[in-house]
Amino acid sequence: MDLDTLRFGNFASLGTAIDDWTRVVGNLETLEKNAREGLKGLADKANWSGVNATVSREFITKTAGEFTDAHTEASTIRNILKDTHEELVSYHEQLNEAISRGLKKNLTVMDTGNGSFTVTMNIHPDRAAKGTTVPDHSEQDVTELRDDVQRILGRATHSDETASEALRAIVEQAEYGFSGASYGDRDSATKALEDAEKYANLIKNKGDSMSPQEFDELNRNLAGYKNDPLFQEKFATTLGPKGTLDFWADLSDPSDGGDLQRARLDQLGEFQKNLSLTLAGATQSDSPAMRHWENDMVQLGDDRIQTRGTQVYGFQLMSNLMRVGDYNDAFLNKYGDALVSTEKKMKLPDHYWNGGVGGPAMPKMNFMGDEFGRDPMTGFMTALSNSPDAATDFFNRTDPQDNAEWVLKDRPTFDDTPLNSNDGNQSRDATGNALVAAATGVNPNDPHAVPVEHTAENRHVLDRSLEIISGVGDDFAPEMRDDMAKVLVNYGDEVNHTASSLADDHSDPRQLDRHQLLEVTKQVSRDQNAYGILNDGLNREMVRDIYADHPSDPKETLLRAGHTVGFLEEARYEALKTDKHDPSWDAKWLYHGFGGAVNFIPVVGDAAQRGVDALAYQWQLDEQARINEETARQNGEVFTARENQLQKLADLWMDANPNHGDNNRYTITSEINGAAFDGNGRAQGLAGDQ
């Protein structure tokens, strides 16, 4: 900053700008409140259906969020301007006071342009007017005045430049709309940017050669800034995509002689989490620098990153930094498309990821559990499960390749936990979670998540997954059975409607493919826990149907419940035929509510919930009797496995329909039993058609 600019500056216009922004903040606060309590509040309470259930609700929610972000951004801009204004006014006063002190010692300060200045005598003694006494000064006085002015100008320049940098960074956070970055003053925003550069450069310059103390400081600050968008973007862009991969490769490879991995091995998992959260937050920025970062990272995916002892792929490294956090949806889909494309070109990707190409073995790149982190699909699928919209897009993409078919059917896998031979396949577990997110729109990792309205895209994921999984048949991955059960109970209305249908009806939007549904239900029923999730969820749906649906003939809900029970029993019998005798079922069935699926089951009313609890108990009795007595179907002639369940459904139907005419408990129970036999027989026919 030039001396004259600060010395003669008029900061009234900056003060006016602050007043204007203060009014904007106030107005936006009112609009934000109206949008949150009025627009979104009414939308949340509305009974949406059809297109409004997806498009309109999503638009209103997004619009209300934009008002919140606008208020946040305006407040931050106002706070930074106010902070900067106060500092510049203070520096202006300090400068003039310093110049006044200099004049008392016959010293003046002159602006020489480009931020430079000179200190000279104000009046040379030889040119002073007759009788005028000129104050004396020493060289020390000159030096002190120069240093004072330089210090004031330096601080003013820093205040001005950091304010500009912070304001630009905030505005660039969102290409369209507004940023959610919130700062109470310029100093906090500036410190975030400075710390980001400091710690990114620490990694660039020292890598895994940093001291344990430097590592601790780095880890502590990554955790402290985990919700700071300016820090995250500046850190990521300063480190760069190649720098990120190089660092993680070196940190993972213990053969380079560094002692950081040994000294801080027990903290690497927490560090991996903090670094992942930082990078995930950075991808939410729409700045040009981050767009370049994302594109370059995708390009580096199939590159081999060299360490001292081995080579690892970019996809392997980056996927291990995607296990936590909310990554940008567009980035996830670019990354996922590229990863699948690379794997399909490899043909046998497990050979490459596992180091089976004649080179040294791949190091352990994941420190958040037993898994080695060699399979990049695991980390990527975990990231997808944290971002349901991105997961939906990924599973529906058929260009440049059919992603769903690859991950659900064709993809080879390998054991990435060689120290534990008794666990399931981690990448299939992660893929199952991603499938749940894609089909339901619910984050399966969020314990507080609740069911959401399905979009047409969610439904398409369901239809495709039914098609693919039913086509795979008995080769369907056991790790995904419980995940598919969660998907089916999330679509309980459609599943109950389909299982109880009397014929195929392609014009019925609620009906799924019955052949595919039976085969997938069979695969789910091969696992005790998945079977429990499915039946528990459909028990809830049948009770909800009895109490909440109002068809022209109330008995439709009774008969549909019976048909669905018969359908489920046939699916279980088909599973038993496949697995013959499964010893995992030879244990007392302790009903625990299958809480892992509760986030995916639509809420029922109070009366229905009481019915659910009672029905669950009766169904539990039937299941335990099945285990104790080894109950089996004899050529379709004996159907006693669900008598308690059917009796309770009949009782609940009578409770929900007190004016049910001349029917009594016996006749109603007989009718639902008949429907169960009918549904069982119809499902047998569907199984025979396949």
Side-chain angles (χ1 to χ4, degrees):
M1 179 177 289
D2 290 342
L3 182 140
D4 283 353
T5 300
L6 183 60
R7 182 180 184 183
F8 302 113
N10 183 352
F11 300 100
S13 57
L14 184 55
T16 301
I18 294 169
D19 292 338
D20 291 341
W21 276 104
T22 298
R23 282 191 291 273
V24 169
V25 169
N27 292 336
L28 286 173
E29 183 177 13
T30 301
L31 291 173
E32 187 270 338
K33 182 179 179 181
N34 291 339
R36 172 170 38 85
E37 297 179 358
L39 188 66
K40 187 175 184 299
L42 292 173
D44 289 342
K45 296 175 183 177
N47 184 17
W48 300 85
S49 61
V51 175
N52 279 334
T54 54
V55 179
S56 297
R57 184 195 288 271
E58 181 180 353
F59 173 77
I60 289 173
T61 301
K62 186 174 182 180
T63 300
E66 287 290 344
F67 278 111
T68 300
D69 287 345
H71 177 246
T72 299
E73 183 171 323
S75 299
T76 298
I77 291 173
R78 187 273 311 276
N79 293 340
I80 291 175
L81 290 177
K82 185 173 181 291
D83 201 32
T84 305
H85 176 266
E86 291 172 353
E87 288 188 357
L88 290 178
V89 168
S90 174
Y91 294 138
H92 166 78
E93 293 172 351
Q94 292 176 38
L95 177 63
N96 284 319
E97 288 172 0
I99 291 173
S100 296
R101 289 195 303 272
L103 288 174
K104 293 177 180 178
K105 295 184 178 182
N106 195 33
L107 295 174
T108 189
V109 184
M110 298 184 63
D111 190 337
T112 55
N114 298 320
S116 62
F117 63 91
T118 183
V119 178
T120 62
M121 285 188 292
N122 186 38
I123 302 174
H124 196 282
D126 295 342
R127 293 192 292 273
K130 189 176 181 180
T132 300
T133 301
V134 178
D136 291 332
H137 62 265
S138 64
E139 283 301 316
Q140 183 178 353
D141 292 331
V142 174
T143 300
E144 289 178 352
L145 178 58
R146 181 200 64 200
D147 291 348
D148 281 349
V149 172
Q150 186 64 61
R151 174 181 53 79
I152 295 167
L153 282 179
R155 290 179 177 176
T157 300
H158 178 75
S159 178
D160 185 54
E161 289 179 349
T162 54
S164 175
E165 183 182 10
L167 289 171
R168 289 179 184 277
I170 288 166
V171 171
E172 288 180 352
Q173 283 285 305
E175 184 177 4
Y176 305 104
F178 304 94
S179 166
S182 176
Y183 298 91
D185 52 51
R186 193 210 67 250
D187 286 347
S188 59
T190 299
K191 189 174 189 308
L193 294 170
E194 291 175 345
D195 282 351
E197 254 189 308
K198 172 185 174 182
Y199 294 113
N201 284 323
L202 171 65
I203 293 176
K204 288 174 69 174
N205 296 331
K206 292 191 174 183
D208 67 341
S209 296
M210 71 179 72
S211 69
Q213 292 72 31
E214 288 173 320
F215 173 85
D216 293 342
E217 183 182 348
L218 169 64
N219 196 18
R220 191 165 53 250
N221 276 275
L222 288 180
Y225 281 113
K226 66 181 179 182
N227 295 316
D228 192 305
L230 292 193
F231 175 90
Q232 292 167 335
E233 186 212 11
K234 189 69 172 179
F235 176 88
T237 54
T238 302
L239 181 57
K242 184 65 163 58
T244 302
L245 299 182
D246 284 340
F247 171 63
W248 201 251
D250 285 335
L251 186 65
S252 301
D253 182 7
S255 67
D256 63 357
D259 64 352
L260 184 60
Q261 192 185 94
R262 290 188 296 274
R264 291 294 183 266
L265 182 61
D266 60 340
Q267 296 179 31
L268 292 183
E270 184 66 19
F271 176 70
Q272 182 180 353
K273 172 186 172 183
N274 292 330
L275 180 56
S276 300
L277 288 170
T278 299
L279 297 177
T283 64
Q284 297 298 335
S285 168
D286 285 327
S287 72
M290 270 313 298
R291 295 284 79 83
H292 284 302
W293 188 96
E294 293 172 11
N295 291 332
D296 290 346
M297 182 61 80
V298 172
Q299 291 297 318
L300 289 168
D302 56 5
D303 281 8
R304 295 189 184 188
I305 308 300
Q306 181 68 54
T307 69
R308 179 176 179 177
T310 187
Q311 287 184 339
V312 291
Y313 287 92
F315 281 126
Q316 291 177 297
L317 296 164
M318 186 58 206
S319 287
N320 279 300
L321 299 176
M322 300 172 78
R323 294 172 180 268
V324 294
D326 181 12
Y327 274 83
N328 173 267
D329 290 355
F331 169 66
L332 285 176
N333 276 291
K334 284 187 290 187
Y335 186 94
D337 286 345
L339 174 56
V340 173
S341 177
T342 294
E343 289 198 331
K344 289 177 75 69
K345 290 175 185 175
M346 289 175 169
K347 299 188 185 302
L348 294 173
D350 47 317
H351 286 41
Y352 291 84
W353 303 140
N354 215 19
V357 290
M362 297 289 185
K364 188 177 191 294
M365 291 167 273
N366 171 52
F367 304 97
M368 297 175 67
D370 295 335
E371 185 192 342
F372 274 36
R374 293 171 177 171
D375 190 340
M377 193 60 75
T378 308
F380 170 64
M381 284 292 158
T382 302
L384 272 190
S385 67
N386 286 322
S387 301
D389 288 345
T392 302
D393 288 344
F394 174 85
F395 276 88
N396 279 333
R397 284 177 183 258
T398 55
D399 183 26
Q401 67 270 316
D402 191 324
N403 291 338
E405 191 168 63
W406 177 251
V407 298
L408 295 178
K409 175 187 172 188
D410 297 334
R411 184 178 189 268
T413 57
F414 62 95
D415 184 9
D416 205 13
T417 54
L419 302 181
N420 185 353
S421 59
N422 297 319
D423 63 339
N425 184 274
Q426 302 295 320
S427 70
R428 285 174 172 164
D429 269 330
T431 301
N433 274 335
L435 174 61
V436 170
T440 68
V442 177
N443 181 349
N445 308 304
D446 181 0
H448 305 295
V450 295
V452 299
E453 294 282 351
H454 297 139
T455 65
E457 290 74 21
N458 294 141
R459 172 61 187 268
H460 190 253
V461 172
L462 171 65
D463 291 335
R464 282 298 322 283
S465 61
L466 288 175
E467 176 187 359
I468 294 170
I469 294 168
S470 63
V472 172
D474 292 338
D475 292 329
F476 179 56
E479 294 87 351
M480 299 187 200
R481 290 171 185 164
D482 60 335
D483 301 303
M484 199 61 207
K486 293 174 185 176
V487 171
L488 293 178
V489 300
N490 183 254
Y491 283 86
D493 178 61
E494 290 86 347
V495 171
N496 179 43
H497 185 75
T498 303
S500 60
S501 293
L502 303 179
D504 292 328
D505 184 355
H506 300 297
S507 65
D508 185 350
R510 294 169 68 192
Q511 191 175 106
L512 308 170
D513 186 294
R514 293 191 301 157
H515 290 85
Q516 293 173 2
L517 178 63
L518 179 63
E519 177 61 30
V520 172
T521 304
K522 166 195 166 183
Q523 298 305 324
V524 167
S525 298
R526 295 174 66 188
D527 176 87
Q528 188 184 49
N529 186 60
Y531 173 80
I533 291 172
L534 176 62
N535 280 268
D536 184 57
L538 289 181
N539 277 338
R540 293 169 183 268
E541 175 55 36
M542 288 184 286
V543 174
R544 188 208 63 78
D545 194 38
I546 288 172
Y547 280 92
D549 278 13
H550 301 288
S552 57
D553 184 347
K555 277 196 178 178
E556 180 179 333
T557 61
L558 175 76
L559 299 180
R560 281 193 177 275
H563 280 98
T564 294
V565 168
F567 184 95
L568 292 172
E569 184 62 18
E570 176 60 26
R572 174 57 187 148
Y573 176 71
E574 293 294 326
L576 283 172
K577 282 202 307 182
T578 298
D579 293 332
K580 304 303 181 186
H581 181 73
D582 183 354
S584 68
W585 288 69
D586 291 348
K588 186 172 178 60
W589 188 300
L590 296 176
Y591 180 69
H592 52 82
F594 304 99
V598 70
N599 294 5
F600 306 95
I601 302 174
V603 177
V604 298
D606 291 340
Q609 184 58 54
R610 290 192 294 273
V612 165
D613 295 337
L615 179 60
Y617 176 71
Q618 297 301 325
W619 168 66
Q620 185 72 10
L621 294 178
D622 289 334
E623 291 302 329
Q624 191 58 52
R626 183 204 301 276
I627 293 172
N628 294 340
E629 301 172 15
E630 297 185 0
T631 304
R633 188 185 79 204
Q634 301 292 330
N635 298 320
E637 296 175 0
V638 179
F639 189 75
T640 59
R642 295 177 182 257
E643 285 183 341
N644 290 295
Q645 181 186 13
L646 291 168
Q647 180 65 74
K648 178 50 65 176
L649 282 167
D651 291 342
L652 293 173
W653 187 88
M654 293 177 68
D655 178 68
N657 298 276
N659 301 315
H660 48 79
D662 297 331
N663 297 290
N664 58 26
R665 190 176 191 237
Y666 180 87
T667 58
I668 293 298
T669 303
S670 176
E671 288 190 46
I672 194 172
N673 271 276
F677 276 106
D678 188 28
N680 187 246
R682 184 169 284 104
Q684 288 181 50
L686 291 173
D689 290 343
Q690 298 185 81

